[in-house]
Amino acid sequence: MLMEGALAKIASAKGGIQRNAIAEKCKDIGSAISIVKGLRMSLDMEKGGEIATNLDDLYDYMERKLLEASRTSDVVLLDEVSALLREIKMAWDAIAGHEAAQS
């Protein structure tokens, strides 16, 4: 659900950029950054091992790209972060589907 929320906020921010709605863009990107920070903070670095470390690095990268997109109004950066989030979401969805099938 968090990833879906972040994706929705990024899409809304992209629309704000296209409409030149600066306040909306900033608010939506700020919300997306907060969600990514929440995802990052929820990582269990001790139990998660290399996967948690890689996700931490990726979430950090996303935060930096979102900040840059906010500063520059670059929709390409928003698209890049959206694509990364979708990939992670697909992987989590596949794991959940696999676990459900095992039950």
Side-chain angles (χ1 to χ4, degrees), residues 74-85:
D74 188 343
V75 296
V76 172
L77 295 172
L78 295 178
D79 289 341
E80 178 183 358
V81 174
S82 289
L84 291 169
L85 281 170

Side-chain angles (χ1 to χ4, degrees), residues 10-56:
I10 292 169
S12 182
K14 187 174 176 180
I17 290 170
Q18 293 166 341
R19 292 186 309 281
N20 202 29
I22 304 304
E24 178 186 331
K25 169 203 76 167
C26 291
K27 180 181 173 204
D28 289 334
I29 290 177
S31 294
I33 289 170
S34 293
I35 293 169
V36 172
K37 281 182 189 276
L39 290 168
R40 191 173 179 198
M41 291 176 61
S42 70
L43 295 171
D44 186 334
M45 301 305 286
E46 289 181 25
K47 292 180 183 176
E50 184 179 351
I51 292 172
T53 300
N54 291 341
L55 283 171
D56 184 61

